[in-house]
Amino acid sequence: MAESAQEPVIRIEGLRKSFGSHEVLKNIDFEIMPGEVVTIIGASGSGKSTLLRCLNLLETPDAGHVWFRGEDLAAQHVNVNRLREKIGMVFQGFNLFNNMNVLDNCTLAPVTLKKASKAEAEAEAMRHLEAVGLAEFAKASVTSLSGGQKQRVAIARALCMKPDLMLFDEPTSALDPEIVGEVLSVMRNLADEGMTMAVVTHEMDFAKNVSDKVVFMDQGVIAEMGEPNRLFTNPEHPRTREFLSRYLEDTQGASATA
Amino acid sequence: MGIAQGDPAGSSRSGNRLTRFVAADHRYVFLGTSAIALVGMWLSSQPRTEMSFLAGVYALEVVMYYLLFAWVVVSGVALLNKLIKWRDYASTSPFVRPGARKAERIASYVVVGITAVLFVDRVVMGFIAVAQAAALSETNPQGFLPGMVYMLFAGKDIFIKGIATTVQLAVFGTVIAFFLALLLVFLRLQQIDRPDNDLVRFLKVVGCGFAKFYSAVVRGTPMMVQSLLIYFAGFAALRGTGMSTTEISGIWSTFVAGLVTISLNSTAYMMEVLRGGIEAVDGGQAEAARSLGLSQWQAMTKVVFPQGIKNAVPALSNELVVNIKDSSVLSVIGVFDLMFSTTTVAGIYYRQLEVYVIATICYLILTMIASKLLSMLAKRLDAPAKGPVLSTSDVAVTMGVTDSVRPAGANASHNNKQER
């Protein structure tokens, strides 16, 4: 899907981030092309969530550049709010606004930021809620929803801002295994519609089958990056091989039965 | 009914002797009602007051007394019977037959009724008699209770004025303090944001510093000192404009100074309460709002504050109760509150203990009313949000996703059921 002539949606150069004396990100470089789905995998503590949160400045990088729409997000005094409007984010813990109903969750940002009138925003929100299968819950309190429903509302909420890029920070990690499927299928639809996505996940099936590029992170650096088919069948880096070993065996077992 | 059912179950289930004794004891009917009967007999032996309505029907009271006495005797026999033959009491005793049980239960109601009548006759009517005599008395009676009632009646205008002032100070002070605290907590929670220019950054630092300083000073000094300081500072400031003392007293009355004191004092405490409530809001809420492009101010006002204030409502309402009590120190600058009126009455009659008991009871009643009203308010604010909790459709959606490509399709059946 990614054409070589296009400009990347977001480009990261020399990104560094430390918490205290612990360096979480060590000189990260990579870019995401329009329409590309990039999954970021790796062990816990390898820095993948921090990397994702640096993309919309929820974590402030210590050094490096985050180029988005021709502006460096990491520069001082850049208007992050305006750039964040075009970067949707979905969190592990849903983070729906508990003081509002489902529809108001979706319309808050477009109306507050004067992107649309109340009626337009509601029509747009209903469209997205319908796409995630929750139109009938528009007036429901968010606290009455199940985890999977909350996460789908969170996706709809982010889409209401018509983002150029969607970030998913372990969107299914707080869900029980039975519900993971409903969220992943929404994400898959989104990818099919051509949305540019960066997904931190432990769902290896999703990484393998949906993404265009897989980034394997280990101890604050990108250990390996490439097409999912190559990475999942023939990983070069020993750490990647180790991390994926159990999974590789699984797929071989699965393909043997299939 | 309860007795009959409880008995066999209780004795068969537990092997414990004590438990069996208690369970088989007609749920203490004999023990409890004989104690009540003894109280009734004691009340009957007390002298009558002039308001006693049983004084005219002496024969009735004699009958009541002997009914109680008879019940005590019956209970004594029954309990003795039980103590002697506790092992097979449940099967042999004449007191456990269904007919006897019914009679015992009716008798126990009669015993309680008689004692209640005697209580009203001796205690309630006795108190009314004392109160009436004291209220109509020309001079302050000697006794504690008569003196208290006399001074309450004689000084009722003073007390009413004091109570009204206390309520006004507490209610207005709390409401004003709430709005000031909202402003102050907003300053307190300011954080430097990336798009801020240097002026905004400077103002934020100054605002946050001011809020911290204010909170430290107000919470670190006694309110009595604050009230004196504010009262005389206001006086001095107005004198600086060249006004006369009478003119100043007209504007800067003790009530106004007291209200300013209580508002400013309560602001600091309420700010800390609000801060606690707001900081208890999950950080993800603000993060989610920021990730959508909302500024720090928008995220705070639309998302974090509404939830934080709701968290803080129980503790905030407690501040009203605190203010009712703490307004008592304002009497040092001469605010005519309940405390001031109490000392005034005490000064008039040279009787201290009685009037302070009155003040204690008044404050207690005020705070109890306030906390009751506030808990009702808090309950209303916490009313669960309306909305469908459609657990069945939840299952339908979850199951539908696994075998259909688009999750929207999974809801089709449910949508049809609704008006679509």
Side-chain angles (χ1 to χ4, degrees), chain A residues 53 56-57 60 73-75 77 80-81 84-85 87 91 95-100 108-109 112-113 130-131 133 136-137 140-141 144 146 149 152 157 161 181-182 185-186 189, chain B residues 194-198 201 282 284-285 287-295 298 302-303 306-307 385-390 393-394 397-398 401 405-408 411 414-415 418 420:
Chain A
R53 290 163 60 85
N56 69 349
L57 265 286
T60 314
L73 274 162
H77 297 315
V80 213
N81 297 339
R84 275 182 184 148
E85 289 171 15
I87 306 179
F91 299 85
N95 296 350
L96 294 181
F97 307 135
N98 294 325
N99 54 332
M100 300 172 196
L108 174 74
T112 309
L113 299 169
E130 214 151 311
E136 63 189 290
F137 289 90
S141 152
S144 69
S146 73
Q149 291 170 332
R152 285 186 281 152
R157 175 177 71 178
M161 288 303 286
E182 63 181 86
S185 85
V186 167
N189 289 335
Chain B
R194 285 180 66 86
D196 293 340
N197 61 34
D198 289 342
R201 281 167 193 248
D282 177 28
Q285 296 280 314
E287 249 177 25
R290 295 307 301 277
S291 79
L292 289 164
L294 268 62
S295 70
Q298 288 163 335
K302 303 270 179 180
V303 176
Q307 294 181 49
K386 284 176 227 103
V389 187
L390 303 170
S393 91
D394 189 13
V397 170
T398 316
V401 167
V405 186
R406 282 192 68 84
N411 271 352
H414 196 90
N415 286 349
Q418 310 221 312
R420 256 178 242 199

Coordinates of all heavy atoms in Angstrom, one line a residue, chain A residues 53 56-57 60 73-75 77 80-81 84-85 87 91 95-100 108-109 112-113 130-131 133 136-137 140-141 144 146 149 152 157 161 181-182 185-186 189, chain B residues 194-198 201 282 284-285 287-295 298 302-303 306-307 385-390 393-394 397-398 401 405-408 411 414-415 418 420:
Chain A
R53 N 3.8 6.8 22.7 CA 3.4 8.0 23.4 C 4.2 9.2 23.1 O 3.8 10.4 23.2 CB 3.4 7.8 24.9 CG 2.3 6.8 25.4 CD 2.5 6.3 26.8 NE 2.5 7.4 27.8 CZ 1.5 7.9 28.3 NH1 0.3 7.4 28.0 NH2 1.6 8.9 29.2
N56 N 2.7 11.4 19.9 CA 1.8 12.5 20.1 C 2.1 13.3 21.3 O 1.3 14.0 21.9 CB 0.3 12.1 20.1 CG -0.1 11.3 21.3 OD1 0.8 10.9 22.1 ND2 -1.4 11.1 21.5
L57 N 3.4 13.2 21.7 CA 3.9 14.1 22.8 C 3.2 13.9 24.2 O 3.3 14.7 25.0 CB 3.8 15.5 22.4 CG 5.0 16.2 21.8 CD1 6.1 16.5 22.8 CD2 5.6 15.4 20.6
T60 N 7.3 13.6 26.6 CA 8.1 14.5 25.9 C 9.5 13.9 25.7 O 10.2 13.5 26.6 CB 8.3 15.8 26.8 OG1 7.0 16.2 27.3 CG2 8.9 16.9 26.0
L73 N 7.2 18.0 16.1 CA 6.4 18.0 17.4 C 7.3 18.2 18.6 O 6.8 18.7 19.6 CB 5.7 16.6 17.5 CG 4.3 16.5 16.8 CD1 4.0 15.0 16.6 CD2 3.3 17.1 17.7
A74 N 8.5 17.8 18.5 CA 9.4 17.8 19.7 C 10.0 19.2 19.9 O 10.6 19.4 20.9 CB 10.5 16.8 19.5
A75 N 9.8 20.1 19.0 CA 10.4 21.4 19.1 C 9.6 22.2 20.2 O 8.4 22.0 20.4 CB 10.3 22.2 17.8
H77 N 7.6 25.1 22.0 CA 6.6 26.1 21.6 C 5.8 25.7 20.3 O 5.1 26.6 19.8 CB 7.2 27.5 21.4 CG 7.8 28.0 22.7 ND1 7.1 27.9 23.9 CD2 9.0 28.6 22.9 CE1 7.9 28.5 24.8 NE2 9.0 28.9 24.3
V80 N 1.2 21.8 20.0 CA 1.0 20.4 20.1 C -0.5 20.1 19.9 O -0.9 19.1 19.3 CB 1.4 19.7 21.4 CG1 1.9 18.3 21.1 CG2 2.5 20.5 22.1
N81 N -1.4 20.9 20.6 CA -2.8 20.7 20.6 C -3.3 20.6 19.1 O -4.1 19.7 18.8 CB -3.5 21.8 21.3 CG -3.1 21.9 22.8 OD1 -2.7 20.9 23.3 ND2 -3.3 23.0 23.4
R84 N -2.1 17.4 17.6 CA -2.7 16.2 18.2 C -4.1 15.9 17.6 O -4.6 14.8 17.6 CB -2.8 16.4 19.7 CG -1.6 16.0 20.5 CD -1.9 16.2 21.9 NE -0.7 16.0 22.7 CZ -0.4 16.6 23.9 NH1 -1.3 17.5 24.3 NH2 0.6 16.3 24.6
E85 N -4.8 17.0 17.2 CA -6.1 16.8 16.6 C -6.1 15.8 15.5 O -7.1 15.1 15.2 CB -6.6 18.1 16.0 CG -7.0 19.1 17.1 CD -7.3 20.5 16.5 OE1 -7.5 20.6 15.3 OE2 -7.4 21.5 17.3
I87 N -3.9 13.3 15.2 CA -3.3 12.0 15.6 C -4.3 11.4 16.7 O -4.4 11.8 17.8 CB -1.9 12.1 16.3 CG1 -1.0 12.9 15.3 CG2 -1.4 10.8 16.6 CD1 0.4 13.2 15.9
F91 N -6.3 3.9 24.0 CA -5.5 3.5 25.2 C -5.8 2.1 25.7 O -6.9 1.6 25.4 CB -5.7 4.5 26.3 CG -5.3 5.9 26.1 CD1 -6.2 6.8 25.4 CD2 -4.1 6.4 26.4 CE1 -5.9 8.1 25.2 CE2 -3.7 7.7 26.2 CZ -4.6 8.6 25.5
N95 N -10.1 4.9 28.8 CA -10.1 6.3 29.1 C -11.2 7.0 28.5 O -11.1 8.2 28.1 CB -8.7 7.0 28.7 CG -7.6 6.4 29.5 OD1 -7.8 5.7 30.5 ND2 -6.4 6.8 29.2
L96 N -12.4 6.4 28.5 CA -13.6 7.2 28.1 C -13.9 8.1 29.2 O -13.6 7.9 30.4 CB -14.8 6.2 27.9 CG -14.6 5.2 26.7 CD1 -15.9 4.3 26.6 CD2 -14.4 5.9 25.4
F97 N -14.5 9.3 28.8 CA -14.9 10.3 29.8 C -16.1 9.8 30.6 O -17.2 9.7 30.1 CB -15.1 11.6 29.2 CG -14.0 12.1 28.2 CD1 -14.3 12.6 27.0 CD2 -12.7 12.0 28.6 CE1 -13.3 13.0 26.1 CE2 -11.7 12.4 27.8 CZ -12.0 12.9 26.5
N98 N -15.8 9.5 31.9 CA -16.9 8.9 32.7 C -18.0 9.8 33.0 O -19.1 9.4 33.4 CB -16.3 8.4 34.0 CG -15.3 7.3 33.8 OD1 -15.4 6.5 32.9 ND2 -14.2 7.3 34.6
N99 N -17.8 11.1 32.8 CA -18.9 12.1 33.2 C -19.8 12.3 32.0 O -20.6 13.3 32.0 CB -18.3 13.4 33.7 CG -17.3 14.0 32.7 OD1 -16.7 13.3 32.0 ND2 -17.2 15.3 32.8
M100 N -19.7 11.6 30.9 CA -20.5 11.8 29.7 C -21.1 10.5 29.2 O -20.5 9.5 29.5 CB -19.7 12.5 28.6 CG -19.0 13.7 29.0 SD -17.9 14.3 27.7 CE -17.0 15.5 28.7
L108 N -17.3 15.6 22.0 CA -16.7 16.6 22.9 C -15.6 17.4 22.1 O -15.6 18.6 22.0 CB -16.1 16.0 24.1 CG -15.3 17.0 25.0 CD1 -16.2 17.9 25.7 CD2 -14.4 16.2 26.0
A109 N -14.6 16.6 21.6 CA -13.5 17.3 20.9 C -13.9 18.1 19.7 O -13.5 19.2 19.5 CB -12.4 16.2 20.6
T112 N -15.9 21.2 20.9 CA -15.0 22.1 21.7 C -14.0 22.8 20.8 O -13.8 24.0 21.0 CB -14.3 21.3 22.8 OG1 -15.3 20.5 23.5 CG2 -13.6 22.3 23.8
L113 N -13.4 22.1 19.9 CA -12.4 22.7 19.1 C -13.0 23.3 17.8 O -12.2 23.7 16.9 CB -11.4 21.6 18.7 CG -10.7 21.0 19.9 CD1 -9.9 19.7 19.5 CD2 -9.8 22.0 20.6
E130 N -21.9 3.6 14.4 CA -22.5 2.5 13.7 C -21.5 1.6 13.1 O -21.6 0.4 13.1 CB -23.4 3.2 12.5 CG -24.6 2.4 12.2 CD -25.7 3.3 11.7 OE1 -26.0 4.4 12.3 OE2 -26.2 3.0 10.6
A131 N -20.4 2.2 12.6 CA -19.3 1.4 12.0 C -18.7 0.4 13.1 O -18.3 -0.7 12.7 CB -18.2 2.3 11.5
G133 N -20.5 -0.7 15.5 CA -21.6 -1.6 16.0 C -22.2 -1.1 17.3 O -22.7 -1.9 18.0
E136 N -26.7 1.9 18.9 CA -27.8 1.9 19.8 C -27.4 2.3 21.2 O -28.2 2.6 22.1 CB -28.4 0.5 19.9 CG -27.4 -0.5 20.4 CD -28.0 -1.9 20.2 OE1 -28.9 -2.3 20.9 OE2 -27.4 -2.7 19.3
F137 N -26.1 2.4 21.5 CA -25.6 2.7 22.8 C -25.3 4.2 22.9 O -24.7 4.7 23.9 CB -24.4 1.9 23.2 CG -24.7 0.5 23.5 CD1 -24.7 -0.4 22.5 CD2 -25.0 0.1 24.8 CE1 -24.9 -1.8 22.7 CE2 -25.3 -1.2 25.0 CZ -25.3 -2.2 24.0
A140 N -26.1 5.8 26.1 CA -25.8 5.0 27.3 C -24.7 5.7 28.1 O -23.8 6.4 27.5 CB -25.5 3.6 26.9
S141 N -24.7 5.5 29.4 CA -23.5 5.9 30.2 C -22.4 5.0 29.9 O -22.5 3.8 29.7 CB -23.9 5.8 31.6 OG -22.8 5.6 32.4
S144 N -21.8 1.8 31.9 CA -22.6 0.6 31.7 C -22.1 -0.3 30.6 O -22.7 -1.4 30.4 CB -24.0 1.0 31.4 OG -24.1 1.6 30.2
S146 N -19.4 -2.8 28.4 CA -18.4 -3.9 28.7 C -17.1 -3.3 28.2 O -17.0 -2.3 27.4 CB -18.7 -5.2 28.0 OG -18.6 -5.0 26.6
Q149 N -16.9 -3.1 24.4 CA -17.7 -2.0 23.9 C -17.0 -0.6 24.2 O -17.0 0.3 23.3 CB -19.0 -2.0 24.6 CG -19.9 -3.2 24.1 CD -21.1 -3.3 25.0 OE1 -21.2 -2.9 26.1 NE2 -22.2 -3.9 24.4
R152 N -14.3 0.0 21.6 CA -14.8 0.3 20.3 C -15.3 1.8 20.3 O -15.2 2.5 19.3 CB -16.0 -0.6 19.9 CG -15.4 -2.0 19.5 CD -16.5 -2.9 19.0 NE -17.2 -3.5 20.1 CZ -18.5 -3.9 19.9 NH1 -19.2 -3.7 18.8 NH2 -19.1 -4.4 20.9
R157 N -14.5 7.5 19.0 CA -14.2 8.8 19.5 C -13.0 9.4 18.8 O -13.0 10.6 18.4 CB -13.9 8.8 21.0 CG -13.5 10.1 21.6 CD -13.4 10.0 23.1 NE -12.2 9.2 23.5 CZ -11.8 9.1 24.7 NH1 -12.5 9.6 25.7 NH2 -10.7 8.4 25.0
M161 N -12.3 12.9 15.0 CA -11.5 14.0 14.7 C -10.9 13.9 13.3 O -10.0 14.7 12.9 CB -10.4 14.2 15.8 CG -10.9 14.6 17.1 SD -11.7 16.2 17.0 CE -10.4 17.3 16.8
G181 N -11.5 -10.3 20.1 CA -11.9 -10.4 18.7 C -12.7 -9.2 18.2 O -12.5 -8.7 17.1
E182 N -13.6 -8.7 19.0 CA -14.5 -7.7 18.5 C -13.7 -6.4 18.3 O -14.0 -5.6 17.3 CB -15.7 -7.4 19.4 CG -15.3 -6.9 20.8 CD -16.6 -6.8 21.7 OE1 -17.0 -7.7 22.3 OE2 -17.1 -5.6 21.8
S185 N -11.4 -6.9 15.1 CA -12.1 -6.8 13.8 C -12.4 -5.4 13.4 O -12.3 -5.0 12.3 CB -13.3 -7.7 13.9 OG -14.4 -7.0 14.4
V186 N -12.7 -4.5 14.4 CA -12.9 -3.1 14.1 C -11.6 -2.5 13.6 O -11.6 -1.8 12.6 CB -13.3 -2.4 15.4 CG1 -13.3 -0.9 15.2 CG2 -14.8 -2.8 15.8
N189 N -10.9 -3.6 10.1 CA -11.7 -2.9 9.1 C -11.1 -1.5 8.8 O -11.1 -1.0 7.7 CB -13.1 -2.6 9.7 CG -13.9 -3.9 9.7 OD1 -13.7 -4.8 8.9 ND2 -14.9 -4.0 10.6
Chain B
R194 N 3.4 22.6 27.0 CA 4.3 22.9 25.9 C 4.0 24.1 25.1 O 4.9 24.9 24.8 CB 4.6 21.7 25.0 CG 5.4 20.6 25.7 CD 5.6 19.4 24.8 NE 6.4 19.8 23.7 CZ 7.7 19.7 23.7 NH1 8.4 19.4 24.8 NH2 8.4 20.0 22.6
P195 N 2.8 24.3 24.6 CA 2.5 25.4 23.8 C 2.6 26.8 24.5 O 2.5 27.8 23.8 CB 1.1 25.2 23.2 CG 0.8 23.8 23.5 CD 1.6 23.5 24.7
D196 N 2.7 26.8 25.8 CA 2.6 28.1 26.5 C 3.8 29.0 26.2 O 4.9 28.5 26.1 CB 2.6 27.8 28.1 CG 1.4 27.1 28.5 OD1 0.4 27.1 27.8 OD2 1.4 26.5 29.6
N197 N 3.5 30.2 26.1 CA 4.6 31.2 25.9 C 5.1 31.6 27.3 O 4.6 31.2 28.3 CB 4.2 32.4 25.0 CG 3.0 33.2 25.7 OD1 3.0 33.2 26.9 ND2 2.1 33.7 24.9
D198 N 6.1 32.4 27.3 CA 6.8 32.7 28.5 C 5.9 33.4 29.5 O 6.0 33.2 30.7 CB 8.1 33.5 28.3 CG 9.2 32.7 27.6 OD1 9.0 31.4 27.7 OD2 10.1 33.2 27.0
R201 N 3.6 30.9 31.1 CA 4.4 30.1 32.0 C 4.6 30.9 33.3 O 4.4 30.3 34.4 CB 5.7 29.8 31.4 CG 5.6 28.6 30.4 CD 6.9 28.5 29.6 NE 6.6 27.7 28.4 CZ 7.1 26.4 28.3 NH1 8.0 26.0 29.2 NH2 6.8 25.7 27.3
D282 N -8.7 9.6 37.5 CA -7.6 8.9 36.7 C -6.9 9.7 35.7 O -7.5 10.5 35.0 CB -8.4 7.7 36.0 CG -7.4 6.9 35.2 OD1 -6.2 6.9 35.5 OD2 -7.8 6.3 34.2
G284 N -5.6 9.1 33.1 CA -5.9 8.7 31.7 C -7.0 9.6 31.1 O -7.1 9.8 29.9
Q285 N -7.9 10.1 32.0 CA -9.0 11.0 31.5 C -8.4 12.2 30.9 O -8.8 12.6 29.8 CB -9.9 11.3 32.7 CG -10.6 10.2 33.3 CD -11.8 9.7 32.6 OE1 -12.6 10.6 32.1 NE2 -11.9 8.5 32.3
E287 N -5.3 12.6 29.8 CA -4.5 12.2 28.7 C -5.4 12.0 27.5 O -5.0 12.4 26.4 CB -3.8 10.9 29.1 CG -2.3 11.0 29.2 CD -1.6 9.7 29.6 OE1 -2.1 8.7 29.4 OE2 -0.6 9.9 30.2
A288 N -6.5 11.3 27.7 CA -7.4 11.0 26.5 C -7.9 12.4 25.9 O -7.9 12.5 24.7 CB -8.6 10.2 26.9
A289 N -8.2 13.3 26.8 CA -8.7 14.6 26.3 C -7.6 15.3 25.6 O -7.8 15.9 24.5 CB -9.2 15.4 27.5
R290 N -6.4 15.3 26.1 CA -5.3 15.9 25.4 C -4.9 15.3 24.1 O -4.6 15.9 23.1 CB -4.0 15.9 26.3 CG -4.1 16.6 27.6 CD -4.5 18.1 27.5 NE -3.7 18.9 26.7 CZ -2.6 19.5 27.0 NH1 -2.1 19.4 28.3 NH2 -1.9 20.2 26.2
S291 N -5.1 13.9 24.1 CA -4.7 13.2 22.8 C -5.7 13.6 21.7 O -5.4 13.5 20.5 CB -4.7 11.7 23.0 OG -6.1 11.2 23.0
L292 N -6.9 14.1 22.1 CA -7.8 14.5 21.0 C -7.6 16.0 20.6 O -8.2 16.5 19.7 CB -9.3 14.4 21.6 CG -9.8 13.0 21.8 CD1 -11.0 13.0 22.6 CD2 -10.1 12.4 20.4
G293 N -6.6 16.6 21.2 CA -6.3 18.0 20.8 C -6.8 19.0 21.7 O -6.6 20.2 21.5
L294 N -7.5 18.6 22.8 CA -8.0 19.7 23.7 C -6.8 20.3 24.5 O -5.8 19.6 24.8 CB -8.9 19.0 24.8 CG -10.4 19.1 24.4 CD1 -10.6 18.3 23.1 CD2 -11.3 18.5 25.5
S295 N -6.9 21.6 24.8 CA -5.9 22.2 25.6 C -6.0 21.8 27.0 O -7.0 21.2 27.4 CB -6.0 23.7 25.5 OG -7.1 24.1 26.2
Q298 N -9.2 23.2 28.5 CA -10.4 22.5 28.0 C -10.5 21.1 28.7 O -11.6 20.7 29.1 CB -10.3 22.4 26.5 CG -10.6 23.7 25.8 CD -10.1 23.6 24.3 OE1 -9.3 22.8 23.9 NE2 -10.7 24.5 23.5
K302 N -13.7 20.5 31.0 CA -14.8 19.6 30.4 C -14.7 18.2 31.0 O -15.8 17.6 31.1 CB -14.6 19.5 28.9 CG -14.5 20.8 28.2 CD -15.9 21.2 27.7 CE -15.8 22.5 27.0 NZ -17.1 23.0 26.5
V303 N -13.6 17.8 31.4 CA -13.5 16.3 31.7 C -13.1 16.1 33.2 O -13.7 15.4 33.9 CB -12.4 15.6 30.8 CG1 -12.2 14.2 31.2 CG2 -12.9 15.7 29.4
P306 N -15.4 18.3 36.4 CA -16.7 17.7 36.7 C -16.6 16.4 37.5 O -17.3 16.2 38.5 CB -17.4 17.5 35.4 CG -16.7 18.4 34.4 CD -15.3 18.5 34.9
Q307 N -15.6 15.6 37.1 CA -15.5 14.3 37.9 C -14.9 14.5 39.3 O -15.3 13.9 40.2 CB -14.6 13.4 37.1 CG -15.3 12.9 35.8 CD -14.4 11.9 35.0 OE1 -13.9 11.0 35.6 NE2 -14.2 12.2 33.8
A385 N -26.3 7.3 36.3 CA -26.7 7.8 35.0 C -27.7 6.9 34.3 O -27.6 5.7 34.4 CB -25.5 8.1 34.1
K386 N -28.7 7.5 33.7 CA -29.7 6.7 33.0 C -29.1 6.2 31.7 O -28.3 6.8 31.1 CB -30.9 7.6 32.6 CG -31.8 7.9 33.9 CD -32.9 8.8 33.5 CE -33.1 9.9 34.5 NZ -32.6 11.2 34.1
G387 N -29.5 5.0 31.3 CA -29.0 4.4 30.1 C -29.2 3.0 30.2 O -29.3 2.4 31.2
P388 N -29.3 2.3 29.0 CA -29.6 0.9 29.0 C -28.4 0.1 29.4 O -27.2 0.4 29.0 CB -30.0 0.7 27.5 CG -29.3 1.7 26.8 CD -29.1 2.9 27.7
V389 N -28.6 -0.9 30.2 CA -27.5 -1.8 30.5 C -28.0 -3.1 29.9 O -28.6 -4.0 30.5 CB -27.3 -2.0 32.0 CG1 -26.1 -2.9 32.3 CG2 -27.2 -0.7 32.7
L390 N -27.7 -3.2 28.6 CA -28.3 -4.3 27.8 C -27.3 -5.4 27.8 O -26.6 -5.6 26.8 CB -28.5 -3.8 26.3 CG -29.5 -2.5 26.3 CD1 -29.5 -2.0 24.9 CD2 -30.9 -2.9 26.7
S393 N -27.8 -7.9 24.7 CA -27.3 -7.5 23.4 C -25.8 -7.5 23.4 O -25.2 -7.7 22.4 CB -27.9 -6.1 23.0 OG -27.0 -5.1 23.5
D394 N -25.3 -7.2 24.6 CA -23.8 -7.3 24.8 C -23.3 -8.6 24.3 O -22.4 -8.8 23.5 CB -23.5 -7.1 26.3 CG -22.0 -6.9 26.5 OD1 -21.3 -6.7 25.5 OD2 -21.6 -6.9 27.7
V397 N -23.6 -9.0 20.5 CA -22.5 -8.3 19.8 C -21.2 -9.2 19.9 O -20.6 -9.4 18.9 CB -22.3 -6.9 20.4 CG1 -21.0 -6.3 19.8 CG2 -23.5 -6.0 20.1
T398 N -20.9 -9.6 21.1 CA -19.6 -10.3 21.2 C -19.6 -11.6 20.4 O -18.6 -11.9 19.7 CB -19.5 -10.7 22.7 OG1 -19.8 -9.6 23.5 CG2 -18.1 -11.2 23.0
V401 N -19.4 -10.9 16.5 CA -18.2 -10.5 15.9 C -17.3 -11.7 15.4 O -16.7 -11.6 14.4 CB -17.4 -9.6 16.9 CG1 -16.0 -9.4 16.5 CG2 -18.1 -8.3 17.0
V405 N -17.9 -10.6 9.6 CA -16.7 -9.7 9.3 C -16.9 -8.4 9.9 O -16.1 -7.9 10.7 CB -16.5 -9.6 7.8 CG1 -15.2 -8.8 7.5 CG2 -16.5 -10.9 7.1
R406 N -18.1 -7.8 9.7 CA -18.3 -6.4 10.2 C -19.1 -6.5 11.5 O -20.2 -7.1 11.6 CB -19.1 -5.6 9.2 CG -18.3 -5.0 8.1 CD -19.0 -4.0 7.3 NE -19.2 -2.8 8.1 CZ -18.3 -1.8 8.2 NH1 -17.2 -1.9 7.6 NH2 -18.6 -0.7 8.9
P407 N -18.6 -5.9 12.6 CA -19.3 -6.0 13.9 C -20.7 -5.3 13.8 O -21.6 -5.6 14.5 CB -18.4 -5.3 14.8 CG -17.4 -4.5 14.0 CD -17.3 -5.2 12.7
A408 N -20.8 -4.3 12.8 CA -22.1 -3.6 12.7 C -23.2 -4.6 12.4 O -24.3 -4.5 12.8 CB -21.9 -2.5 11.7
N411 N -25.2 -6.4 15.1 CA -26.2 -5.7 15.8 C -27.5 -5.6 15.1 O -28.5 -5.1 15.6 CB -25.8 -4.3 16.1 CG -25.0 -4.3 17.4 OD1 -25.0 -5.3 18.1 ND2 -24.4 -3.2 17.7
H414 N -30.6 -6.9 16.7 CA -31.1 -6.1 17.8 C -31.7 -4.8 17.4 O -32.7 -4.3 17.9 CB -29.9 -5.8 18.8 CG -30.3 -5.3 20.1 ND1 -30.6 -6.2 21.1 CD2 -30.6 -4.1 20.6 CE1 -31.0 -5.5 22.2 NE2 -31.0 -4.3 21.9
N415 N -31.1 -4.2 16.3 CA -31.6 -2.9 15.8 C -33.0 -3.1 15.3 O -33.9 -2.2 15.5 CB -30.7 -2.4 14.7 CG -29.4 -1.9 15.2 OD1 -29.3 -1.7 16.4 ND2 -28.5 -1.6 14.3
Q418 N -35.5 -2.7 18.0 CA -35.8 -1.3 18.4 C -36.5 -0.7 17.2 O -36.9 -1.4 16.3 CB -34.5 -0.6 18.7 CG -33.7 -1.4 19.7 CD -33.0 -0.6 20.7 OE1 -32.4 0.4 20.4 NE2 -33.1 -0.9 22.0
R420 N -36.1 0.7 14.5 CA -35.6 0.7 13.1 C -36.3 -0.3 12.2 O -36.3 -1.5 12.5 CB -34.1 0.4 13.1 CG -33.4 1.7 12.8 CD -32.0 1.5 12.8 NE -31.4 2.2 13.9 CZ -30.1 2.5 13.9 NH1 -29.3 2.1 13.0 NH2 -29.7 3.3 14.9

